[in-house]
Amino acid sequence: MRRKGRKKGNKIKKSFNNLKKAFYYARQQKKELILFFIFNLIFCFLGTIAPLLTAKELIALTDGLLIQLLEIALAVLVVEISLNFGRYFSRKYAQIFTREILKKIQLDMAREILRIETSELDKKSSGVFIDRLVKDTSRISDIFLDVTIQTTELFAEVGILIAIFVVSRLFFLYYIIFILIIFFLEKKRVHKFNELDKHYRKSAEATTGFVGELVRGIRDIKVLNAGDSFMAEMNERIIKINEERYEMSQVTRKYSLFVGSVRDLLDFILILLAIYAIKNKLISVANFVIIYMYKGRVFNLLHLFGNFMEWFKDFNLSCSRVFEIIDDTTFKKENFGTEHLNKVKGDFEFKDVYFGYNENKMVLKGVNFKVKHNQTISFVGKSGSGKSTIFSLLARLYPITKGQILIDGHDINELDQETIRGNISIITQNPYIFNMSIRENLTIVKNDLTENEMIKACKLACLHDFIMSLPEGYDTLVGEGGLTLSGGQKQRLAIARAFVQKTQIILFDEATSALDNETQENIQKAIHNLKDHYTVLIIAHRLSTVIDSDQILLVENGKITATGTHEELLESNNTYKNLYNKELKN
Ligand code: ADP
């Protein structure tokens, strides 16, 4: 019992926190909110007197008071037109208010997604982020819109209750009982619906992730002839999601059936009560006409209660899912230090570094090495030995488990994000090229890039001549819907990006796939252009690349087992000698 109470207390605390966080955004749009409330108050005030006038119209009509009827009709006309204006302006400001909130939440969320620890990203499906960024934030802003619009409507309907109270206490009591019965039924419905909605959103985000994978991997799926298995999986997911959606709508349908019938019954009781009250002179016919005119508004009030409960639960669920990402609780964020270096020279040191993607399996088991700035260092070793992991740790994509990484003598954990990421570029085997023009792919890392700087970077990356051979040159669109770049061209564009970024440290993961001789030569030339000006670390898959490196590190099973120049290692290390001989034979 006590545990249940504590659970409920926690839930209330969480809801309150969600509201507080959401209102942080609402507060920033104070102007629109105030304008909205002013127009909505006018709207609500007029909305309360409109039915009163309509009732008077009816009474004047039945009493044959035609002049009075005309006067009231004119007043109704003025009130109704003003109501339309009130509605127009209040909705307009409500819309601007929620649009701005949506924009701010989505931007904050996108920024926070970029800060999430890579290890968290490895574990989660992309759907978790896509659905929350797109669907849940939209739900929050939609509910804000509904709530702002309907809050004043709710006040107006409460005004109706006061009017009923003034006209007849008996019917007021009747309506209150009526409201309470429907309110409890609605509460049950909303609770059931919300529980199902929680599961539904989890399944939906998993499906979004799956669809993302399907789209990204479409070429491989075709080649692997795996279309049928993917279709079977898709079918299963669609069936599951549809079933969950159906369950949710079933809840609404069943309750509508029940609540609708209860309402009809209460409606019938209203007439019985009217017969009794009129017969016993507890109310005049004219006053009952007014009460009867308000019936629709009381129904509307109930409808609003139901909506508010539903929105509150939905709002709470959406906020929890969104703030889980914006806050630092569920999704761990990257933690950088505060030390800032204006210029990094490019000295590195790994001191007895241990690291594992999961705690019980170490991938790096005591890595030690030192790199002097402007040196070119190559890492060689079997696939899976931990070379790429070393690069990821240098770029602080993962925090290390044990040991120390030093950049220019400073512990990587003490340095701020700008110092690390602003001074290191990684050129991966298959670099991510954005679906933009070549120019935009370069300006994305430097907004104020000049034409000369851009051309110089592409020349150094041995890419300029190729770009100039394209009909639209630097404005050629690459990626989806544009020009498809080969692996080698992508790598050279990434090298140009590193030149543009002017990072002092460049980590280069050489492509494993066989590139044609010319491309390979161009990449070699581009790397050569970096030599002695930058600290360059290369994961070499071809030993021809490493020959003129200042130092070669042999990585075996998460450790550096040998260090030296090509000649030194050929002489002293059998593993290296075997690797070299094997490649010569190929
Ligand atoms: P190399 O670059 O030498 O081929 P890696 O550093 O890529 O080796 O991989 C070292 C080990 O770490 C491998 O066993 C690999 O399966 C594992 N590994 C690499 N990346 C991840 C990851 N993101 N999550 C879990 N394990 C990983």
Side-chain angles (χ1 to χ4, degrees):
M1 189 77 184
R2 195 182 297 157
R3 193 179 310 141
K4 207 172 165 189
R6 201 178 311 140
K7 216 169 147 192
K8 201 162 182 186
N10 282 344
K11 256 186 170 173
I12 293 173
K13 211 165 134 195
K14 203 170 164 199
S15 306
F16 182 70
N17 272 339
N18 279 339
L19 276 177
K20 219 165 86 184
K21 284 171 198 160
F23 278 102
Y24 158 79
Y25 291 95
R27 270 207 316 270
Q28 296 178 37
Q29 303 310 130
K30 249 190 237 146
K31 193 184 114 200
E32 287 82 8
L33 197 60
I34 291 171
L35 281 168
F36 159 76
F37 269 115
I38 292 172
F39 282 106
N40 221 17
L41 273 180
I42 297 172
F43 171 70
C44 290
F45 173 69
L46 296 175
T48 316
I49 57 172
L52 209 67
L53 289 173
T54 318
K56 284 205 159 139
E57 254 181 339
L58 272 178
I59 294 165
L61 184 70
T62 41
D63 290 351
L65 304 168
L66 296 184
I67 301 289
Q68 211 178 350
L69 176 64
L70 184 66
E71 281 168 8
I72 300 170
L74 273 174
V76 169
L77 181 68
V78 172
V79 166
E80 290 291 341
I81 289 178
S82 312
L83 256 176
N84 290 343
F85 275 97
R87 184 186 294 116
Y88 170 81
F89 283 108
S90 64
R91 304 255 151 128
K92 176 181 153 167
Y93 288 113
Q95 187 94 49
I96 300 176
F97 167 70
T98 48
R99 185 191 65 198
E100 290 304 306
I101 287 180
L102 176 64
K103 185 181 87 187
K104 288 191 170 129
I105 297 183
Q106 282 184 328
L107 284 177
D108 276 359
M109 196 168 170
R111 193 177 305 116
E112 291 304 319
I113 289 176
L114 285 173
R115 285 191 53 221
I116 292 177
E117 276 282 5
T118 322
S119 53
E120 289 277 340
L121 298 174
D122 289 345
K123 280 186 257 166
K124 296 282 177 325
S125 119
S126 57
V128 171
F129 305 108
I130 298 171
D131 270 20
R132 294 180 195 217
L133 184 63
V134 180
K135 292 191 201 159
D136 290 298
T137 51
S138 299
R139 279 307 298 142
I140 293 178
S141 96
D142 286 350
I143 296 169
F144 254 123
L145 183 67
D146 291 333
V147 169
T148 37
I149 289 175
Q150 301 206 1
T151 300
T152 26
E153 214 172 293
L154 186 76
F155 282 131
E157 307 303 27
V158 172
I160 294 286
L161 276 184
I162 297 170
I164 293 173
F165 180 78
V166 173
V167 175
S168 160
R169 310 280 144 90
L170 177 68
F171 283 91
F172 173 75
L173 190 67
Y174 162 79
Y175 274 129
I176 291 293
I177 294 170
F178 180 59
I179 288 169
L180 285 178
I181 293 173
I182 306 279
F183 176 81
F184 282 111
L185 290 175
E186 284 288 304
K187 195 167 167 246
K188 267 192 165 323
R189 174 184 71 85
V190 168
H191 178 73
K192 270 204 163 160
F193 187 87
N194 190 255
E195 287 300 309
L196 293 173
D197 196 15
K198 244 185 244 172
H199 291 287
Y200 169 75
R201 289 194 206 192
K202 282 237 171 293
S203 311
E205 67 188 14
T207 305
T208 305
F210 180 76
V211 171
E213 212 165 291
L214 184 90
V215 173
R216 274 195 309 273
I218 205 154
R219 285 171 190 81
D220 292 297
I221 294 171
K222 279 185 188 183
V223 174
L224 291 168
N225 199 22
D228 285 348
S229 359
F230 264 83
M231 279 311 295
E233 174 72 25
M234 190 74 199
N235 188 32
E236 237 171 68
R237 284 172 188 264
I238 290 176
I239 290 174
K240 182 165 183 263
I241 269 203
N242 282 349
E243 268 172 9
E244 287 181 354
R245 241 247 57 103
Y246 178 77
E247 275 298 308
M248 284 159 73
S249 52
Q250 253 320 75
V251 168
T252 311
R253 257 193 303 276
K254 274 187 193 159
Y255 271 85
S256 300
L257 178 71
F258 186 56
V259 171
S261 308
V262 172
R263 254 170 60 166
D264 292 338
L265 186 68
L266 288 167
D267 224 6
F268 176 67
I269 295 173
L270 176 71
I271 298 296
L272 290 185
L273 195 62
I275 296 170
Y276 167 79
I278 292 170
K279 212 170 153 209
N280 291 298
K281 305 218 174 331
L282 297 172
I283 193 167
S284 67
V285 174
N287 276 348
F288 180 71
V289 171
I290 294 176
I291 299 271
Y292 200 77
M293 290 301 297
Y294 282 147
K295 197 186 72 179
R297 300 285 297 269
V298 175
F299 279 170
N300 193 32
L301 181 67
L302 282 172
H303 179 66
L304 284 176
F305 275 153
N307 282 354
F308 271 91
M309 279 189 284
E310 197 172 315
W311 291 331
F312 180 71
K313 290 258 184 190
D314 190 348
F315 186 75
N316 208 7
L317 177 59
S318 305
C319 279
S320 296
R321 287 164 53 84
V322 165
F323 292 126
E324 255 177 25
I325 290 183
I326 293 185
D327 295 343
D328 217 348
T329 45
T330 316
F331 294 84
K332 247 174 53 205
K333 299 288 165 54
E334 287 180 323
N335 237 333
F336 288 94
T338 50
E339 205 175 329
H340 182 75
L341 307 180
N342 281 332
K343 190 85 198 126
V344 165
K345 243 181 9 183
D347 292 332
F348 275 126
E349 188 171 354
F350 265 53
K351 275 183 166 174
D352 207 23
V353 171
Y354 283 79
F355 170 75
Y357 291 96
N358 45 56
E359 276 157 29
N360 38 25
K361 188 174 179 274
M362 286 294 126
V363 170
L364 299 188
K365 304 158 189 165
V367 171
N368 285 292
F369 68 87
K370 237 179 177 172
V371 174
K372 280 217 143 319
H373 62 275
N374 294 350
Q375 276 191 332
T376 299
I377 306 292
S378 293
F379 292 83
V380 295
K382 278 193 205 137
S383 147
S385 55
K387 303 179 296 293
S388 309
T389 306
I390 293 177
F391 276 22
S392 299
L393 298 186
L394 271 174
R396 187 46 189 84
L397 288 177
Y398 301 90
I400 58 174
T401 313
K402 212 174 102 188
Q404 202 180 24
I405 298 176
L406 300 169
I407 300 180
D408 283 4
H410 301 264
D411 190 319
I412 200 168
N413 292 330
E414 307 294 323
L415 295 172
D416 68 359
Q417 179 176 356
E418 186 52 37
T419 304
I420 301 170
R421 302 271 164 84
N423 284 291
I424 299 181
S425 330
I426 299 192
I427 297 155
T428 58
Q429 292 185 5
N430 189 14
Y432 196 81
I433 302 299
F434 300 101
N435 183 209
M436 306 169 173
S437 69
I438 294 177
R439 182 188 302 278
E440 286 165 331
N441 261 288
L442 295 169
T443 48
I444 200 162
V445 292
K446 189 169 189 269
N447 298 334
D448 55 351
L449 182 71
T450 64
E451 191 77 13
N452 277 345
E453 282 176 318
M454 181 175 73
I455 293 174
K456 196 173 155 203
C458 289
K459 276 188 175 162
L460 281 171
C462 301
L463 196 65
H464 178 71
D465 291 342
F466 163 71
I467 296 173
M468 291 321 284
S469 73
L470 301 169
E472 291 185 66
Y474 279 89
D475 294 311
T476 307
L477 189 71
V478 286
E480 269 174 36
L483 179 76
T484 308
L485 295 178
S486 71
Q489 286 158 348
K490 278 190 198 169
Q491 278 211 325
R492 279 182 285 150
L493 185 53
I495 294 176
R497 232 164 22 194
F499 278 127
V500 164
Q501 223 182 339
K502 287 207 168 73
T503 54
Q504 199 46 42
I505 301 149
I506 298 176
L507 312 179
F508 184 78
D509 194 350
E510 193 181 50
T512 37
S513 55
L515 300 173
D516 64 77
N517 280 344
E518 197 189 329
T519 310
Q520 208 173 314
E521 227 171 76
N522 275 328
I523 291 180
Q524 293 287 344
K525 242 199 264 171
I527 297 175
H528 192 77
N529 288 336
L530 301 166
K531 205 169 167 13
D532 300 330
H533 304 288
Y534 297 87
T535 307
V536 184
L537 273 61
I538 305 170
I539 295 178
H541 298 289
R542 266 173 296 276
L543 295 188
S544 55
T545 316
V546 307
I547 290 175
D548 59 345
S549 300
D550 298 310
Q551 229 190 119
I552 299 164
L553 306 181
L554 181 63
V555 188
E556 285 181 289
N557 194 20
K559 277 188 176 162
I560 310 282
T561 52
T563 311
T565 60
H566 174 63
E567 285 76 21
E568 285 167 358
L569 286 180
L570 260 190
E571 203 139 287
S572 64
N573 190 286
N574 272 340
T575 316
Y576 186 80
K577 203 157 100 188
N578 289 341
L579 275 174
Y580 187 69
N581 287 338
K582 210 159 109 195
E583 192 169 305
L584 275 188
K585 270 189 219 145
N586 294 334

Short mmCIF file of all heavy atoms in Angstrom, two decimals, residues 9 21 23 36 87 139 184 249 251 254-255 263 269 282 418 425 452 466 498 531:
data_model
loop_
_atom_site.label_atom_id
_atom_site.label_comp_id
_atom_site.label_asym_id
_atom_site.label_seq_id
_atom_site.Cartn_x
_atom_site.Cartn_y
_atom_site.Cartn_z
N GLY A 9 3.22 9.06 -5.85
CA GLY A 9 3.89 10.32 -5.51
C GLY A 9 4.97 10.64 -6.52
O GLY A 9 5.10 11.77 -6.99
N LYS A 21 9.24 21.94 -17.00
CA LYS A 21 10.18 22.03 -18.12
C LYS A 21 9.48 22.57 -19.37
O LYS A 21 10.02 23.38 -20.10
CB LYS A 21 10.77 20.65 -18.42
CG LYS A 21 11.83 20.27 -17.41
CD LYS A 21 12.23 18.84 -17.62
CE LYS A 21 12.93 18.29 -16.40
NZ LYS A 21 12.91 16.84 -16.36
N PHE A 23 6.90 24.51 -19.44
CA PHE A 23 6.56 25.93 -19.27
C PHE A 23 7.78 26.83 -19.38
O PHE A 23 7.64 28.02 -19.63
CB PHE A 23 5.77 26.17 -17.98
CG PHE A 23 4.33 25.86 -18.22
CD1 PHE A 23 3.76 24.68 -17.78
CD2 PHE A 23 3.55 26.74 -18.96
CE1 PHE A 23 2.43 24.37 -18.06
CE2 PHE A 23 2.22 26.44 -19.25
CZ PHE A 23 1.67 25.25 -18.79
N PHE A 36 -2.93 36.16 -26.95
CA PHE A 36 -3.89 35.08 -27.08
C PHE A 36 -4.94 35.17 -25.98
O PHE A 36 -6.14 35.11 -26.24
CB PHE A 36 -3.17 33.73 -27.04
CG PHE A 36 -4.07 32.60 -26.67
CD1 PHE A 36 -4.97 32.08 -27.60
CD2 PHE A 36 -4.08 32.10 -25.38
CE1 PHE A 36 -5.84 31.07 -27.24
CE2 PHE A 36 -4.94 31.08 -25.02
CZ PHE A 36 -5.83 30.58 -25.96
N ARG A 87 -12.24 34.73 -32.07
CA ARG A 87 -11.74 33.39 -32.36
C ARG A 87 -10.55 33.48 -33.31
O ARG A 87 -9.50 32.87 -33.09
CB ARG A 87 -12.85 32.54 -32.99
CG ARG A 87 -12.40 31.10 -33.23
CD ARG A 87 -13.41 30.26 -33.96
NE ARG A 87 -14.62 30.04 -33.20
CZ ARG A 87 -15.83 30.47 -33.56
NH1 ARG A 87 -15.97 31.17 -34.68
NH2 ARG A 87 -16.88 30.22 -32.84
N ARG A 139 3.65 16.41 -30.85
CA ARG A 139 2.53 16.17 -29.93
C ARG A 139 2.51 17.25 -28.85
O ARG A 139 1.48 17.80 -28.51
CB ARG A 139 2.64 14.79 -29.25
CG ARG A 139 2.19 13.61 -30.04
CD ARG A 139 0.80 13.72 -30.59
NE ARG A 139 -0.25 13.83 -29.60
CZ ARG A 139 -1.33 14.61 -29.72
NH1 ARG A 139 -1.50 15.34 -30.80
NH2 ARG A 139 -2.23 14.65 -28.78
N PHE A 184 -15.67 10.52 -14.14
CA PHE A 184 -15.00 9.31 -13.67
C PHE A 184 -14.88 8.26 -14.77
O PHE A 184 -13.89 7.54 -14.87
CB PHE A 184 -15.69 8.75 -12.42
CG PHE A 184 -15.29 9.55 -11.21
CD1 PHE A 184 -16.19 10.37 -10.55
CD2 PHE A 184 -13.98 9.51 -10.75
CE1 PHE A 184 -15.81 11.12 -9.46
CE2 PHE A 184 -13.57 10.26 -9.65
CZ PHE A 184 -14.49 11.08 -9.00
N SER A 249 -7.90 2.14 -30.25
CA SER A 249 -9.18 2.70 -30.73
C SER A 249 -10.35 1.92 -30.16
O SER A 249 -11.43 2.47 -29.96
CB SER A 249 -9.21 2.77 -32.25
OG SER A 249 -8.88 1.52 -32.76
N VAL A 251 -10.53 0.83 -27.12
CA VAL A 251 -10.80 1.44 -25.81
C VAL A 251 -11.70 2.66 -26.00
O VAL A 251 -12.72 2.82 -25.33
CB VAL A 251 -9.47 1.85 -25.12
CG1 VAL A 251 -9.72 2.72 -23.91
CG2 VAL A 251 -8.70 0.61 -24.71
N LYS A 254 -15.28 1.52 -27.13
CA LYS A 254 -16.09 0.89 -26.08
C LYS A 254 -16.59 1.94 -25.09
O LYS A 254 -17.75 1.95 -24.71
CB LYS A 254 -15.24 -0.14 -25.32
CG LYS A 254 -15.22 -1.50 -25.99
CD LYS A 254 -14.50 -2.48 -25.08
CE LYS A 254 -14.16 -3.76 -25.81
NZ LYS A 254 -13.08 -4.47 -25.17
N TYR A 255 -15.67 2.83 -24.70
CA TYR A 255 -16.07 3.85 -23.73
C TYR A 255 -17.07 4.84 -24.33
O TYR A 255 -17.99 5.29 -23.66
CB TYR A 255 -14.84 4.57 -23.17
CG TYR A 255 -14.29 3.86 -21.96
CD1 TYR A 255 -13.41 2.81 -22.10
CD2 TYR A 255 -14.70 4.21 -20.67
CE1 TYR A 255 -12.91 2.12 -21.01
CE2 TYR A 255 -14.22 3.52 -19.57
CZ TYR A 255 -13.32 2.48 -19.74
OH TYR A 255 -12.86 1.81 -18.64
N ARG A 263 -25.04 9.18 -21.17
CA ARG A 263 -25.45 10.56 -21.44
C ARG A 263 -26.92 10.61 -21.88
O ARG A 263 -27.69 11.48 -21.46
CB ARG A 263 -24.56 11.15 -22.54
CG ARG A 263 -23.57 12.13 -21.96
CD ARG A 263 -22.55 12.52 -22.97
NE ARG A 263 -23.14 13.15 -24.15
CZ ARG A 263 -22.43 13.80 -25.05
NH1 ARG A 263 -21.13 13.93 -24.90
NH2 ARG A 263 -23.01 14.34 -26.09
N ILE A 269 -33.41 11.80 -17.98
CA ILE A 269 -33.68 12.18 -16.59
C ILE A 269 -33.89 13.70 -16.49
O ILE A 269 -34.70 14.18 -15.70
CB ILE A 269 -32.53 11.70 -15.66
CG1 ILE A 269 -32.51 10.16 -15.66
CG2 ILE A 269 -32.69 12.22 -14.24
CD1 ILE A 269 -31.35 9.54 -14.92
N LEU A 282 -41.19 24.79 -9.39
CA LEU A 282 -39.82 25.03 -8.92
C LEU A 282 -39.04 25.83 -9.95
O LEU A 282 -37.98 26.38 -9.66
CB LEU A 282 -39.09 23.70 -8.63
CG LEU A 282 -39.71 22.85 -7.53
CD1 LEU A 282 -39.05 21.47 -7.46
CD2 LEU A 282 -39.57 23.57 -6.18
N GLU A 418 35.73 21.84 -28.02
CA GLU A 418 36.28 22.60 -29.14
C GLU A 418 37.74 22.24 -29.38
O GLU A 418 38.18 22.06 -30.52
CB GLU A 418 36.11 24.11 -28.84
CG GLU A 418 36.48 25.06 -29.95
CD GLU A 418 35.82 24.73 -31.28
OE1 GLU A 418 34.65 24.30 -31.26
OE2 GLU A 418 36.50 24.90 -32.32
N SER A 425 40.60 15.65 -37.19
CA SER A 425 39.63 15.15 -38.18
C SER A 425 39.88 13.67 -38.35
O SER A 425 41.02 13.23 -38.33
CB SER A 425 39.79 15.76 -39.56
OG SER A 425 40.29 17.02 -39.53
N ASN A 452 39.05 30.86 -52.81
CA ASN A 452 40.46 30.48 -52.93
C ASN A 452 40.84 29.38 -51.97
O ASN A 452 41.52 28.42 -52.35
CB ASN A 452 41.35 31.70 -52.65
CG ASN A 452 41.48 32.53 -53.90
OD1 ASN A 452 41.16 32.06 -54.99
ND2 ASN A 452 41.94 33.77 -53.74
N PHE A 466 39.05 16.81 -60.85
CA PHE A 466 37.83 16.02 -61.01
C PHE A 466 36.59 16.93 -60.88
O PHE A 466 35.67 16.86 -61.70
CB PHE A 466 37.80 14.90 -59.97
CG PHE A 466 36.44 14.29 -59.78
CD1 PHE A 466 35.90 13.48 -60.77
CD2 PHE A 466 35.68 14.56 -58.64
CE1 PHE A 466 34.63 12.93 -60.62
CE2 PHE A 466 34.42 14.01 -58.48
CZ PHE A 466 33.89 13.20 -59.48
N ALA A 498 39.13 18.17 -44.21
CA ALA A 498 40.11 18.31 -43.13
C ALA A 498 41.04 19.49 -43.41
O ALA A 498 41.38 20.25 -42.49
CB ALA A 498 40.91 17.03 -42.98
N LYS A 531 52.14 15.60 -45.08
CA LYS A 531 53.35 15.22 -44.33
C LYS A 531 54.16 16.44 -43.89
O LYS A 531 54.31 17.40 -44.62
CB LYS A 531 54.19 14.29 -45.21
CG LYS A 531 55.10 13.38 -44.41
CD LYS A 531 55.69 12.31 -45.31
CE LYS A 531 56.84 11.55 -44.70
NZ LYS A 531 57.18 11.61 -43.37
#
